[in-house]
Amino acid sequence: MGFLDIDSASKTYGSVEVLHNVNISVGEGEFLVLVGPSGCGKSTLLNMIAGLEDITSGEIRLKGNLMNGVHPSRRNIAMVFQSYALYPNMTVAQNITFGLEMHKVPKAERESAMQEVAELLQIGGLLDRKPAQLSGGQRQRVAMGRALVRNPEVFLFDEPLSNLDAKLRVDMRTEIKKLHQNLGTTIVYVTHDQIEAMTLSTRIAVMNEGHVQQLGTPKEIYDTPANLFVATFMGSPSMNLVPVSINANGEAVYAETSNSFGETVKLAVYEAGSDLRSMSGKTVTLGIRPEALTDKDGADHRSTHVERCASTVGVTEPAGSDTFVTTSFGGADCVARMRADTDASPGAVIEFAFNMENAVFFDPESGIRIG
Amino acid sequence: MAAMQQESAVRTSNATRVLIYLLLLLFAFFYLLPLFVMGVNSVKPLSEITGGNMMALPEMWTLEPWRKAWSEAQVGVQATGLKPYFWNSIKMVVPAVFISTILGALNGYVLTKWRFRGDTILFGLMLFACFIPFQIVLIPMARMLGIFGLAGTTWGLVLVHVVYGIGFTTLYFRNYYAAFPTELVRAAQIDGAGFFQIFWRIMLPSSGPIIVVSVIWQFTNIWNDFLFGASFADFSSQPMTVALNNLVQSSTGVKEYNVHFAGAILAALPTLLVYVVAGRFFVRGLMAGSVKG
Ligand SMILES: Nc1ncnc2c1ncn2[C@@H]1O[C@H](COP(=O)(O)OP(=O)(O)OP(=O)(O)O)[C@@H](O)[C@H]1O
Ligand SMILES: [Mg+2]
């Protein structure tokens, strides 16, 4: 039993089921990120935890107590909304203390709690302003202050950074992470930004069409995605997917494909499992991240299983710290991540290095990763 | 603000502009003429009106007609002037406007933020109430007032006007609150605010413009109503409009036109005042629902 348990939770609107049998157990002090494309049901799930939406079936428990039907204000949770939802008619100070006032906390106590939060978030100078007189970042802080002051068991965030500009978003991201490290409160955080998900979370739940596709640590999600959806959704540029045919030959297992000019490329598979062996002679999908597909000098020196092959460079995209180089394998467009000073130029034939330690395989029909 | 309006206006040539202004001036003149006639003649002795030109400025200025209309003129049986009826109207219009506005706000709040099965149908029916002609409800309403024991009282009129006004006020507030972010209500729920606390502490304080619209609309309609006042009030509760009619229609003695003019202006004054005080919020409030950025 975890701190916050979501047990076979489903949600239907009319006849449409938007969440299907969701099971997530969140430990105390964890930072769980719900990530997925628009409309996959992230907000719905968060609102169900908050008590703002009914749970159609299943259970949600906080510290072992059943939360179904419990009023949002009695769940000891606090929520930060995407639009911040600051009360427009109240000052910042009133916004922060409104919840305490509703819970009949004495005025002196409210005041000191507010000062403490204001100091923590550096909004002391804004206390007498109305929300309309604040910048986006300041509103964001006030919204967090309003959540913090209640000292809840669980913080819920619904895309809190999506209304900020790129620079501020990165700053606030760091600040939220710091806050979590300092306070150690359990957080459930919704975003559709996979970088936010990777950087903030202790665990990620990747969702699509109302299903939890994979639940795991950022590293698990990134290195061993459960299926093609997770593989392509997480990571930017997204994972390269190359059709290969498996050739199990005694001990060795090879993944065979072709390069840009039709030559056969034979890649020795690292630690092939029995499932992959049994696919011998069949076509599967090889997944390899751009950083595992490099020029021959850029390959990870610690990796003992680097396979090399030549192919034609399509376009090069210098991105400052790296240069992304496109080519094709097995008819699929691939992106390789090379050093910024790479000598690859469009049309040239160069050697690409596959770090096979980081390669994964998927069943092309079901999309599920082959172990 | 001014700059924005300038930009959104269509560019016109100077000639068209002159034409537009000329037309507008003509219309303004046309509409202001009756007011001028009323004003001018209410400060003349009667002899100047009967003997001369209605348009001319008074030769002898006097406030006597105003005093007479207010406190002396024969209205109905007694020579009380319009004063008691003016207060009757105030006693009717203030509670009626207040109650119908608050109820409209509550309805709008429920219809947008606490939605339930059949809420759109209910709203449709309430809208329908806006289109029922007064005449149709006269007899059933008289019967209801009788049953409630409110026949002939000011509170009876208040009830009639509240019932009649709720359709409009609900329409205003519903449309206004439809654009009001639901996340605010959710945040307040998490903060522990209940149904009425959310309404009083968050919704109403943010409803300034639409409250003004509702108040102006209700005030002018209720103040200017004649039919309900004539049908449901007795001598002790007759509103200003009915009294004015009685004053003008009274058949005894000579017709004191100057007193009638003064009385008519007195009857129109409160609505004029409401427009002047709150009018500039009126259009802004009407627009708020539709073009909120
Ligand atoms: N009140 C409702 N009635 C019917 N369907 C709804 C309702 N609210 C949400 N949905 C549907 O439920 C699904 C999930 O919605 P949800 O708001 O949870 O998506 P989301 O993952 O938060 O997306 P986004 O990233 O765009 O915020 C969507 O397909 C949406 O259309
Ligand atoms: Mg959402």
Side-chain angles (χ1 to χ4, degrees):
Chain A
M1 189 193 75
F3 188 74
L4 169 69
D5 286 306
I6 302 161
D7 208 349
S8 325
S10 303
K11 176 74 187 176
T12 26
Y13 286 115
S15 59
V16 194
E17 193 170 72
V18 295
L19 279 180
H20 319 276
N21 195 29
V22 173
N23 290 291
I24 298 174
S25 176
V26 187
E28 180 158 17
E30 250 197 286
F31 196 131
L32 176 78
V33 171
L34 303 175
V35 68
S38 189
C40 70
K42 311 178 290 287
S43 298
T44 306
L45 182 56
L46 200 72
N47 288 337
M48 281 160 71
I49 300 173
L52 296 169
E53 295 273 5
D54 291 333
I55 303 158
T56 308
S57 71
E59 291 185 351
I60 291 182
R61 287 186 302 274
L62 182 58
K63 289 170 107 180
N65 302 318
L66 190 63
M67 286 292 126
N68 296 42
V70 175
H71 190 269
S73 69
R74 305 220 175 74
R75 295 189 178 201
N76 211 357
I77 47 116
M79 188 154 169
V80 176
F81 293 87
Q82 179 172 358
S83 65
Y84 315 136
L86 299 177
Y87 310 126
N89 54 307
M90 300 185 198
T91 63
V92 167
Q94 288 167 332
N95 260 286
I96 292 176
T97 53
F98 184 70
L100 298 178
E101 190 191 333
M102 290 297 114
H103 283 86
K104 306 207 165 50
V105 175
K107 191 154 191 286
E109 234 170 279
R110 296 203 303 252
E111 196 65 24
S112 69
M114 195 241 318
Q115 292 299 347
E116 209 173 296
V117 166
E119 194 162 321
L120 183 69
L121 294 171
Q122 296 156 16
I123 48 175
L126 309 173
L127 292 174
D128 294 328
R129 291 206 205 164
K130 292 274 177 73
Q133 302 163 319
L134 301 176
S135 73
Q138 290 169 332
R139 279 179 215 184
Q140 169 66 48
R141 272 166 211 274
V142 175
M144 290 205 324
R146 189 171 64 180
L148 278 173
V149 80
R150 303 256 319 271
N151 201 8
E153 311 257 28
V154 180
F155 277 121
L156 305 175
F157 287 85
D158 192 352
E159 308 204 18
L161 305 183
S162 57
N163 286 344
L164 302 179
D165 64 53
K167 166 102 175 62
L168 201 53
R169 197 172 333 178
V170 174
D171 293 348
M172 289 306 289
R173 197 167 75 196
T174 317
E175 225 161 292
I176 291 177
K177 185 150 191 169
K178 266 195 222 154
L179 209 61
H180 176 246
Q181 278 168 1
N182 293 341
L183 301 174
T185 315
T186 313
I187 294 181
V188 181
Y189 185 108
V190 163
T191 180
H192 60 246
D193 180 344
Q194 42 97 14
I195 298 178
E196 245 172 60
M198 294 293 294
T199 48
L200 285 173
S201 66
T202 57
R203 267 196 315 157
I204 299 178
V206 183
M207 298 179 59
N208 190 28
E209 292 177 352
H211 291 277
V212 174
Q213 301 286 332
Q214 188 174 5
L215 177 64
T217 62
K219 189 168 165 54
E220 282 165 0
I221 300 273
Y222 193 76
D223 291 346
T224 52
N227 54 40
L228 282 173
F229 175 80
V230 178
T232 46
F233 188 76
M234 301 299 288
S236 172
S238 78
M239 186 182 260
N240 298 307
L241 300 171
V242 181
V244 295
S245 61
I246 295 298
N247 183 356
N249 191 354
E251 260 308 285
V253 178
Y254 292 98
E256 294 180 2
T257 183
S258 57
N259 65 8
S260 57
F261 34 88
E263 277 176 13
T264 302
V265 175
K266 239 179 152 190
L267 305 165
V269 179
Y270 171 71
E271 288 185 346
S274 54
D275 286 345
L276 190 63
R277 263 172 216 283
S278 68
M279 300 292 276
S280 185
K282 298 209 178 97
T283 302
V284 301
T285 304
L286 162 73
I288 188 144
R289 297 246 174 236
E291 62 271 20
L293 179 61
T294 54
D295 44 3
K296 63 183 194 306
D297 305 324
D300 188 348
H301 295 301
R302 283 173 305 178
S303 173
T304 51
H305 293 78
V306 177
E307 297 284 316
R308 291 185 190 163
C309 60
S311 195
T312 320
V313 173
V315 293
T316 60
E317 295 170 355
S321 56
D322 308 288
T323 297
F324 293 103
V325 176
T326 67
T327 180
S328 85
F329 286 104
D333 288 331
C334 292
V335 178
R337 184 168 177 168
M338 303 196 172
R339 289 167 295 114
D341 59 351
T342 180
D343 48 12
S345 57
V349 175
I350 62 166
E351 282 231 301
F352 287 82
F354 285 73
N355 180 357
M356 292 306 284
E357 282 184 11
N358 290 349
V360 285
F361 295 89
F362 300 95
D363 184 326
E365 250 128 66
S366 65
I368 294 171
R369 186 166 55 84
I370 304 165
Chain B
M1 198 61 204
M4 265 171 58
Q5 280 167 354
Q6 206 76 63
E7 262 172 47
S8 64
V10 179
R11 279 182 171 279
T12 44
S13 72
N14 280 342
T16 352
R17 220 154 245 244
V18 169
L19 194 71
I20 288 173
Y21 277 115
L22 274 178
L23 265 175
L24 288 176
L25 280 174
L26 191 71
F27 279 118
F29 176 73
F30 186 72
Y31 280 108
L32 285 173
L33 199 58
L35 188 65
F36 171 77
V37 170
M38 284 172 75
V40 158
N41 289 300
S42 73
V43 288
K44 275 181 199 170
L46 186 59
S47 57
E48 276 187 41
I49 302 179
T50 47
N53 188 352
M54 288 268 270
M55 305 296 276
L57 288 172
E59 282 160 29
M60 197 187 88
W61 295 79
T62 170
L63 283 177
E64 184 59 17
W66 283 75
R67 203 183 51 77
K68 219 167 169 190
W70 179 245
S71 56
E72 246 173 44
Q74 182 89 16
V75 179
V77 199
Q78 275 166 339
T80 55
L82 289 168
K83 189 166 79 174
Y85 305 97
F86 184 88
W87 292 119
N88 278 349
S89 267
I90 294 282
K91 276 185 259 172
M92 165 189 74
V93 83
V94 171
V97 167
F98 182 78
I99 295 171
S100 59
T101 299
I102 286 289
L103 285 179
L106 256 178
N107 286 343
Y109 169 54
V110 170
L111 286 170
T112 53
K113 304 303 171 205
W114 299 84
R115 305 199 50 183
F116 51 91
R117 224 169 232 288
D119 57 358
T120 35
I121 294 176
L122 188 75
F123 177 58
L125 289 174
M126 297 195 79
L127 266 191
F128 192 61
C130 301
F131 301 108
I132 300 175
F134 279 19
Q135 291 80 352
I136 289 182
V137 298
L138 281 183
I139 291 170
M141 190 59 95
R143 178 103 184 85
M144 293 307 290
L145 288 176
I147 290 171
F148 293 144
L150 291 171
T153 65
T154 297
W155 284 106
L157 284 177
V158 169
L159 177 72
V160 172
H161 286 299
V162 166
V163 168
Y164 222 93
I166 265 183
F168 289 98
T169 55
T170 300
L171 168 67
Y172 293 147
F173 280 96
R174 198 207 81 107
N175 288 352
Y176 188 77
Y177 288 155
F180 193 86
T182 304
E183 283 196 348
L184 278 171
V185 176
R186 301 191 140 186
Q189 275 182 285
I190 291 181
D191 270 344
F195 178 86
F196 283 107
Q197 279 169 321
I198 297 176
F199 181 62
W200 288 115
R201 298 286 305 271
I202 293 159
M203 303 296 286
L204 265 195
S206 317
S207 312
I210 204 67
I211 291 176
V212 170
V213 169
S214 176
V215 165
I216 291 185
W217 175 265
Q218 285 294 88
F219 190 97
T220 45
N221 272 313
I222 297 173
W223 184 274
N224 289 334
D225 164 69
F226 179 78
L227 187 61
F228 286 157
S231 312
F232 302 133
D234 61 18
F235 283 117
S236 65
S237 60
Q238 267 172 359
M240 190 72 169
T241 44
V242 177
L244 180 67
N245 180 57
N246 292 349
L247 170 74
V248 175
Q249 299 287 327
S250 70
S251 48
T252 49
V254 279
K255 289 221 181 268
E256 294 180 294
Y257 292 111
N258 52 353
V259 176
H260 297 174
F261 281 131
I265 297 178
L266 276 173
L269 223 46
T271 45
L272 219 61
L273 194 74
V274 166
Y275 264 114
V276 170
V277 173
R280 66 200 175 93
F281 298 106
F282 186 67
V283 175
R284 220 188 287 170
L286 274 184
M287 303 293 287
S290 50
V291 290
K292 209 164 189 173

